[in-house]
Amino acid sequence: MPKLSRRALLAASAGLLAAPASAQTVKPRLTAISQWSAGSDGAAITALGKKFEERGGVWQHSPVPGFTTEMMNKLRAQILGGDPPACSQLKGPEIAAWSKIAPTVNLDAVVAAAGYEKVVAPDLARIHKPGGKWAAMPLQIYRTNTLFVSKRAMDRVKADKLPTNWAEFNALAEKMKAAGIAYPLANGGSRPDDGQKFEAALAGISPTVYRAAIMNLDEKALKGPEMHAAFVQLRKLADWMDPNTASQAYAVHLPQFVAGDMGMMIQGGWAQGVLLNAGFKLDDFIIGPGPSDNGKPVFLLNADAFIFWQRKEADLQAGQKLMAEMVMDPAIQTMYSQITGSIPVRTDVDLSGPGWSDGQREAAATLKAAVAANQSVLSLAHNMAQENGMTAAMIDVITEYVKNRAITPDQAVTRLAEAVEGAR
Amino acid sequence: MPAGPICNGAAPVRSRRVILGTLVWLLAAAYLVPMVVVLLNSLRTAQEIAQGSMIGWPKFWEFGNYAVAWSGFCIAQTCQGIAPYIANSAAITLPATLISTLLGAVAGYAVSLWRFRGDRWIFGLVTLGVFLPEQMRLIPWTIVLRDLGLSNTLAGLVMIHSVQGLSFTALFCRNYYLSIPQELMKAARIDGAGFFRIFWRIVLPLSPPILVVTVIWQFTGIWNEFLYGVTFTTGTQQPITAALIALATSVADVPQYGVQNAAVVLAALPTMLVYLFGGRYFVRGLTAGAVK
Amino acid sequence: MSGSLRRFARKLPELLVIWVPMLLSAGHVVVFTLWTTWVSFTPSTLMPTDGWVGLRNYSAVLATRNWKVAFDNLLLFGFSFMLLTTLVGLALAILLDQRLRGENVLRAIFLYPLAVSFVVTGTVWSWLLNPGMGVQKLVNSLGWTAFRFDWLVNRDMAIWTVVIAAIWQASGFAMALFLAGLRSVDADLLKAAQIDGAGPVRTYARVILPSLWPITVSVLVILLQFAIKTFDLVRALTEGGPGIATQLPALVVYDFMFQRGNLGRGSAAAVLMLLTLLAVLLPYAGWTYLQRRRARA
C-alpha cells in the first residue's frame, strides 16, 4: 500500500514536471520543524507562515521546544523514519554533515532564477552549498559581537562615546564599576553565552588568528600569543559579570540592563528583538560594533537557515519551491529581520526605512566593510565555525575557564589545544 | 501525692510527642516550600518577580496568569495555551498506564505463583530494564517505530511506555504476589482452576493495593516524560512537558515567570490528584508486601 | 499425540499472555544493549553506520575532562544521594509511625514531590537556590546582607544542590517503603521487647531496624536506578555547570550522542555507564544467590 501510493505520487510529480500548467491544481504545502516557539523567534516564524498562506500555501510548522538538540533528535527520528520534513532549521557546518545522511533538494535552479548568489556574502553561500549545490537557504544574519550599551548606564558615568577597541572597553567598564554599577557586563550563564564572550575577545584582538585557530584549527595559531591574550581579556570580562547568574540565559538581566544597573552586553542582534518584544524602547540602549584592536570592524557572523529535504509529494515540492522563493524575497527578509533584530542575508536590501534601527543599519554596513577587509569570520559559540562535536569540546574549556578563576590563561590555551585534538 | 509517679512518667512522653510533632511539621513546611513558591509566583506578574525575588507575596493577585497559561499563550503559531497538550498527555498516559499495569500484573503473577523453566532469567532481564537510561534507548526505539509503521503516532508512544513500564510493574507485582500463600494456590488448583481462573478469582481481588502503586508510578512517570514525547510526536500531538519546556527555555524572551508558574501548577494537577487520592493506598499497597 | 497437542492448544492463551510481554520486555533490554555495544565499536556519527574502530571511541571518551568529572560526580552524587535519602526517608517514616495527628496530610506532603516532573523540580530549585533571585536574595533583603547561600554558582558545592533537589524529590518514596515496613513488623516481637523492658531506642535498634533490612535493599535498588538515570533534573537545575562541574554520565551520553553528533562515542559512554552499574549489581546478585543457597541448605 505505501509503495503503491508512493508510485502514484511519483507519477503525479512526473506529470507535474511535464505539464507546468497543472501546477496550479496543486496547493503548495510545507512541513517544517524548528525550535522557534516563543518570543520574537516565535513571532517571526509565525509571520512568515502567514505570508506563506497568503500566497496560497498550507503552512504546517511544528516547533520542537527545548534546546537545539531536541530539534535535531526530532529531525533524526523523522529521517530514520523515512519521513523527513520538507524543510527544517539547521545551520553552519551541520548543513554539510546532515546533507550526507539524507538526500536534499537541489535549489540551484530556484536560486539562479532569482539571481540570488550575487547578493549573498561568499562565505555564507559556501556553507549553504554542500558539494557545490544549494541545499539550504540562509534566512537571517546576526552579528554575535554586537555591543549593547545601556543608555542609563552611560548617563551615570557621563560617557557618550562607544568603546571601539578592548582598551577603551576595559576603561569604560572600570569607570562604570567605579560609578557603582556592580556588574558592568550583563551576561547569561549558559555555554553559548560564555563562548560568545571568548570569540568576541579573540576576533577583536585578531580576526586573522581567529580564522586560523578557530575556523581552520591551525595548531600553531591555537597555541599562539593572541590566544593567550584572548583568555586574558576573557578573564576581565568574566570578572565584570554577575557571578550569581547560574545557567540562566542573558535575557534575565535585560530589565537591570535597561535600568542602568548593568552597563553593557556583548550579544547577538537578537537581543534587540527580545528587548523590543519585552516592551523596551530603542532609545533605552545604544548598539555598536564589538571592540576591534586593529581599527577595522570585525563581524562575527551567525546565520539561521532552512535545509530542504527531498520529498516525493507534489504539493510538498511546490511548497519547497515557494518557501525558497519567499526566503530569498527582500520583502520577506525585511519583515523577518525587523521582528527578530537580525539583518537581511541579501546585501542589497535598503535599510533606510523606518522599521530598522540604527543598530541594524550599522550592523549591515559593518558586514559590508568587514567582508571587504576580510574581517568577517564565523561564530564558534553559535555553531557556525565548526561542527557541533568540535564546538562543544572547545566550549567545554571556555566555560570552565569563565567559571573557574584558578585556571590560568596558559592552562586554558593548552587545554583548548588538547580538546581540539581529542575531538578531531 | 499519689498521682506523682504517673505524672512524672507521662510528662516526658507528652513533651516528647510535642517535640516530635513540631519537628515533623517543620519538616513538612520545608517540603512544601517549592510548591508554595510556585503557587505564589503563579499569582504574581512577571515584572514584579523580575524586579524582586522569586520568593515573595503577590502585591497584586494576577489570576490572569492562569487564563493565559490554560488557553492563551502561543507556541509559534498555535495560541491555545496548555489545554490541548494536557489532552495529548492524557491520551498517551491513560492507555499506557493501564496496559503496562495489566501486563505487569499477569507477568508478576506468572513468575511468582506459577514458576516455570527459565523464569528467573527472563524476569531478571525484564527488571534490568529499570536501569537502562532513556537516552540510550532513543535511537533503537526510533528504528522500531519506523519498522512497525508507528512513527509520529500516539500509539507508538503508548507501545514504548507499555514495554518499558513492564519492567517496573512486573517487579512490583511479583514482589507483592510472593506474599500470597501457596496453600491458597494449591487448593484452587485441586479444585481444577486454571491459570486465568485463579488470576481472575483469587489474585486480582487481592491486588488493588499493588495495582494502585503501579498505576501511580506509571501515571506520574509517563505524564512527566519529555524526551520521547518531544521526539516521537509532531506539532499538535505533543505532550504537556513539551509545552512547559517551550515556556521555560525560550531564550528569545524575557522570562514569563507568572504564566510559567501557572502552567506548572496546571500541568502538575493530574499527578498531584493521583497522589492525593492514591497516597493512602500507596503506603497500604507497599505495606501489604510490595517490598519483599 | 493429539492429546498433548490439545493440551498445548488449551494452554496456548496463557503461554501467550505470559511469554509475549515478557519476551518483548526482556528482548528490548537485551537487543538495545547489544545494539548500543555494537555502535560503540563503529565510527557512527549522526547516524548508526557499519565499520569497526576497536576501542577508539572508548579511549576518546575516557580522555575527556567531561567524562572524568561526570564519573567522579556519579560516585559522589550516587553515594550521598542514596545514603541521605535512605536516612531522611527512614527518619520521616519513624516520625510518621508515631501515630501523630494529621498523619494523612503529612504523608501527602512528603509524597507530593514524587508527582512533580524532574524538569519542574530542577527549574523550581534553580530559582530557590539562585543567589540572585532565591533564598539568598530574600534573606539579604530582609536585612541580613552578609548571608551567602550560593552553592548553585559555586563549582565545588554545585553538585550538592543536585543532591538536595534529588533528596527532596525521592525521600517520600523511601518514607513510604519504610513506613510500610514499620507497619508490618511482627507485633509479637514488639511485645516481647516491651516485656523485656526495652526502651524505645533499644526497641528500634534491636528489633525494628534489623527487620527493615529487606526493605532497605528495595529502597537502595530504586534509588540506585534514580541516581544512575539522573538527567532532566541536572539539565534544568545547573545545565551541568558552573562550567562542567555538575556533569553526570547520563548527560555525557546524551551530549555525545545528540549534541555533539557522535553516536559512537555516546554509545561508548553508555556502555561504560552500564558497566559501572554492573559493578554494583553483580556483587548484590551474587550475595542474594549465596543467601538463597544457604537458606536452602
Side-chain angles (χ1 to χ4, degrees):
Chain A
M1 178 60 199
K3 256 186 196 143
L4 195 78
S5 69
R6 203 174 288 168
R7 201 177 304 150
L9 285 165
L10 259 176
S13 60
L16 189 77
L17 290 174
S22 71
Q24 256 62 30
T25 61
V26 181
K27 204 169 156 69
R29 179 167 72 92
L30 192 78
T31 50
I33 63 176
S34 80
Q35 63 178 136
W36 296 315
S37 57
S40 47
D41 284 340
I45 188 100
T46 303
L48 179 62
K50 290 238 170 67
K51 292 280 179 205
F52 191 86
E53 281 167 352
E54 276 170 25
R55 296 198 191 179
V58 180
W59 179 251
Q60 295 178 326
H61 170 230
S62 310
V64 184
F67 303 86
T68 317
T69 320
E70 270 79 51
M71 199 274 301
M72 296 202 294
N73 283 348
K74 177 79 197 144
L75 178 58
R76 182 186 288 103
Q78 299 265 86
I79 290 176
L80 269 173
D83 180 31
C87 91
S88 69
Q89 174 202 356
L90 206 67
K91 68 191 289 195
E94 292 294 306
I95 290 172
W98 284 77
S99 69
K100 287 186 198 120
I101 63 173
T104 52
V105 178
N106 182 347
L107 299 167
D108 281 356
V110 196
V111 171
Y116 192 54
E117 192 142 1
K118 291 193 296 285
V119 294
V120 179
D123 261 356
L124 202 58
R126 185 173 47 79
I127 292 176
H128 299 87
K129 293 168 68 176
K133 293 189 179 67
W134 285 87
M137 278 281 146
L139 175 69
Q140 56 178 348
I141 291 177
Y142 285 115
R143 176 176 58 184
T144 67
N145 61 334
T146 299
L147 179 64
F148 289 77
V149 183
S150 162
K151 189 74 183 38
R152 285 179 192 82
M154 287 291 266
D155 293 346
R156 269 173 83 173
V157 297
K158 302 195 173 49
D160 52 6
K161 197 174 144 292
L162 289 186
T164 58
N165 56 39
W166 282 116
E168 287 178 23
F169 180 96
N170 296 344
L172 180 60
E174 284 302 338
K175 213 166 152 189
M176 286 179 170
K177 185 128 193 173
I181 296 173
Y183 306 120
L185 187 66
N187 194 39
S190 69
R191 291 166 60 93
D193 275 324
D194 289 339
Q196 213 180 326
K197 303 302 107 69
F198 173 78
E199 67 186 20
L202 180 60
I205 289 167
S206 167
T208 318
V209 172
Y210 183 94
R211 189 179 289 275
I214 305 298
M215 292 168 63
N216 300 330
L217 303 177
D218 178 76
E219 261 176 72
K220 221 174 119 217
L222 273 168
K223 290 175 181 158
E226 290 86 357
M227 295 293 286
H228 186 271
F231 276 112
V232 170
Q233 178 63 40
L234 182 61
R235 173 64 66 222
K236 291 197 178 117
L237 296 177
D239 287 346
W240 288 320
M241 301 174 195
D242 181 354
N244 296 332
T245 308
S247 61
Q248 302 173 89
Y250 74 98
V252 297
H253 291 311
L254 290 180
Q256 292 153 283
F257 167 77
V258 169
D261 297 330
M262 288 187 172
M264 302 184 266
M265 292 197 295
I266 295 171
Q267 264 306 335
W270 53 78
Q272 174 188 315
V274 177
L275 279 159
L276 298 184
N277 204 46
F280 297 116
K281 299 279 163 297
L282 277 175
D283 51 10
D284 287 328
F285 52 93
I286 313 163
I287 296 179
S292 166
D293 286 352
N294 67 11
K296 288 175 285 180
V298 173
F299 195 103
L300 266 164
L301 193 143
N302 175 28
D304 287 312
F306 282 116
I307 185 169
F308 292 77
W309 303 102
Q310 267 184 30
R311 299 291 313 207
K312 302 223 161 63
E313 297 85 339
D315 57 343
L316 288 179
Q317 289 179 345
Q320 287 173 328
K321 186 162 174 290
L322 176 57
M323 178 70 169
E325 285 165 358
M326 284 181 65
V327 172
M328 291 187 289
D329 184 339
I332 295 287
Q333 291 194 2
T334 300
M335 174 203 79
Y336 209 94
S337 291
Q338 288 184 348
I339 299 175
T340 60
S342 62
I343 58 175
V345 174
R346 297 181 72 110
T347 48
D348 63 346
V349 174
D350 176 19
L351 272 70
S352 59
W356 300 97
S357 74
D358 286 342
Q360 281 164 306
R361 289 183 196 113
E362 177 272 313
T366 304
L367 176 59
K368 264 188 196 164
V371 169
N374 199 21
Q375 299 225 94
S376 145
V377 286
L378 297 171
S379 164
L380 172 73
H382 292 276
N383 300 318
M384 293 295 288
Q386 296 293 340
E387 286 185 11
N388 288 349
M390 180 60 73
T391 304
M394 292 167 94
I395 304 265
D396 278 345
V397 176
I398 294 165
T399 188
E400 245 199 314
Y401 178 80
V402 168
K403 301 290 173 8
N404 185 354
R405 300 208 45 145
I407 303 175
T408 65
D410 280 325
Q411 282 173 322
V413 172
T414 316
R415 281 192 192 178
L416 191 69
E418 281 169 6
V420 168
E421 216 35 60
R424 261 186 223 269
Chain B
M1 296 288 252
I6 300 169
C7 269
N8 281 351
V13 171
R14 203 185 305 142
S15 68
R16 193 192 302 143
R17 286 190 72 80
V18 170
I19 292 169
L20 285 182
T22 318
L23 183 67
V24 80
W25 279 102
L26 278 177
L27 277 169
Y31 270 70
L32 278 175
V33 166
M35 181 157 88
V36 172
V37 165
V38 169
L39 278 175
L40 288 177
N41 283 342
S42 72
L43 296 167
R44 300 164 80 197
T45 61
Q47 290 89 321
E48 188 192 322
I49 296 173
Q51 281 152 21
S53 115
M54 281 314 280
I55 310 168
W57 195 258
K59 288 196 191 106
F60 161 79
W61 299 87
E62 179 54 280
F63 288 100
N65 285 340
Y66 279 91
V68 176
W70 179 251
S71 58
F73 74 83
C74 303
I75 295 175
Q77 67 277 17
T78 317
C79 296
Q80 301 175 329
I82 62 166
Y85 300 89
I86 294 246
N88 294 341
S89 275
I92 299 163
T93 310
L94 292 176
T97 303
L98 287 180
I99 293 171
S100 60
T101 296
L102 207 64
L103 293 180
V106 174
Y109 157 70
V111 173
S112 61
L113 297 178
W114 281 80
R115 308 301 316 267
F116 46 87
R117 192 190 287 258
D119 62 346
R120 196 159 272 153
W121 276 102
I122 191 155
F123 189 72
L125 288 174
V126 169
T127 49
L128 261 189
V130 164
F131 293 99
L132 289 195
E134 268 68 29
Q135 299 80 29
M136 192 191 111
R137 296 191 254 200
L138 188 66
I139 292 190
W141 276 129
T142 311
I143 297 170
V144 169
L145 287 183
R146 174 194 63 190
D147 292 348
L148 295 178
L150 291 174
S151 300
N152 274 326
T153 60
L154 294 185
L157 267 178
V158 169
M159 183 207 69
I160 291 177
H161 287 304
S162 300
V163 172
Q164 287 196 173
L166 188 66
S167 295
F168 279 100
T169 56
L171 180 64
F172 283 137
C173 289
R174 173 222 174 229
N175 290 346
Y176 179 82
Y177 293 146
L178 280 178
S179 67
I180 295 179
Q182 283 288 335
E183 294 79 61
L184 211 60
M185 288 287 297
K186 272 186 200 136
R189 272 202 245 186
I190 290 166
D191 287 351
F195 183 84
F196 289 107
R197 228 172 118 138
I198 296 178
F199 182 67
W200 194 249
R201 288 287 174 80
I202 298 175
V203 175
L204 212 51
L206 288 170
S207 298
I210 196 61
L211 294 187
V212 169
V213 173
T214 55
V215 163
I216 290 182
W217 186 272
Q218 286 299 97
F219 187 90
T220 50
I222 300 169
W223 185 270
N224 291 330
E225 200 278 330
F226 170 66
L227 183 61
Y228 295 162
V230 82
T231 309
F232 296 139
T233 61
T234 293
T236 51
Q237 297 175 321
Q238 285 185 344
I240 180 66
T241 39
L244 285 185
I245 296 275
L247 258 178
T249 60
S250 69
V251 287
D253 210 351
V254 171
Q256 303 289 312
Y257 291 123
V259 175
Q260 197 184 330
N261 279 283
V264 162
V265 172
L266 292 171
L269 269 184
T271 48
M272 289 284 189
L273 289 176
V274 165
Y275 262 93
L276 207 60
F277 290 114
R280 163 190 324 225
Y281 302 98
F282 191 64
V283 173
R284 200 178 295 165
L286 293 168
T287 311
V291 293
K292 288 279 157 58
Chain C
M1 186 68 204
S2 74
S4 70
L5 200 70
R6 208 177 307 141
R7 209 171 328 125
F8 179 76
R10 199 148 31 84
K11 282 189 79 170
L12 191 62
E14 66 184 71
L15 288 173
L16 285 178
V17 167
I18 298 171
W19 282 101
V20 171
M22 294 257 273
L23 282 177
L24 276 179
S25 177
H28 104 273
V29 172
V30 173
V31 173
F32 286 14
T33 308
L34 289 179
W35 188 84
T36 305
T37 313
W38 167 68
V39 173
S40 75
F41 291 106
T42 67
S44 302
T45 53
L46 287 173
M47 287 286 177
T49 47
D50 290 328
W52 181 264
V53 295
L55 291 170
R56 217 172 66 200
N57 288 324
Y58 288 86
S59 54
V61 168
L62 287 170
T64 61
R65 280 182 49 74
N66 263 352
W67 176 260
K68 285 174 204 147
V69 173
F71 193 76
D72 290 349
N73 277 341
L74 179 66
L75 296 185
L76 179 69
F77 167 77
F79 183 74
S80 38
F81 160 74
M82 286 169 69
L83 182 73
L84 292 173
T85 308
T86 309
L87 291 179
V88 171
L90 182 61
L92 290 177
I94 291 176
L95 283 173
L96 273 194
D97 197 35
Q98 307 303 313
R99 314 263 166 200
L100 297 167
R101 211 175 303 161
E103 186 192 313
N104 284 338
V105 181
L106 285 168
R107 198 180 43 218
I109 291 174
F110 292 125
L111 272 178
Y112 91 90
L114 279 175
V116 184
S117 78
F118 286 111
V119 176
V120 169
T121 302
T123 311
V124 174
W125 280 98
S126 78
W127 295 336
L128 291 177
L129 298 171
N130 189 306
M133 59 206 291
V135 174
Q136 179 182 314
K137 178 152 187 192
L138 181 77
V139 175
N140 290 352
S141 69
L142 292 176
W144 184 5
T145 48
F147 176 79
R148 286 289 167 272
F149 184 47
D150 57 359
W151 289 5
L152 189 66
V153 295
N154 179 330
R155 271 176 303 112
D156 300 321
M157 299 305 288
I159 190 70
W160 293 101
T161 63
V162 184
V163 176
I164 292 176
I167 292 177
W168 176 79
Q169 183 138 32
S171 53
F173 188 77
M175 177 205 71
L177 282 163
F178 281 125
L179 192 56
L182 289 172
R183 295 272 155 90
S184 46
V185 169
D186 198 338
D188 294 339
L189 278 175
L190 289 181
K191 216 167 266 171
Q194 241 170 7
I195 291 165
D196 287 351
V201 176
R202 261 182 75 128
T203 313
Y204 267 106
R206 292 284 172 82
V207 181
I208 298 180
L209 291 185
S211 72
L212 288 183
W213 177 241
I215 292 174
T216 313
V217 172
S218 302
V219 170
L220 289 176
V221 169
I222 294 282
L223 294 182
L224 176 66
Q225 170 277 130
F226 260 102
I228 203 135
K229 293 209 289 200
T230 299
F231 174 76
D232 290 333
L233 178 66
V234 182
R235 225 170 158 215
L237 181 59
T238 65
E239 272 184 46
I244 58 169
T246 50
Q247 286 289 345
L248 281 174
L251 273 95
V252 175
V253 169
Y254 187 78
D255 189 49
F256 267 121
M257 279 189 173
F258 305 121
Q259 159 66 28
R260 302 185 189 209
N262 197 319
L263 284 177
R265 289 185 188 180
S267 301
V271 172
L272 288 171
M273 192 172 147
L274 291 180
L275 287 176
T276 317
L277 181 72
L278 275 188
V280 179
L281 285 185
L282 277 184
Y284 169 68
W287 178 76
T288 49
Y289 178 72
L290 283 178
Q291 292 287 84
R292 207 177 295 132
R293 268 184 57 160
R294 206 175 302 156
R296 228 176 277 156

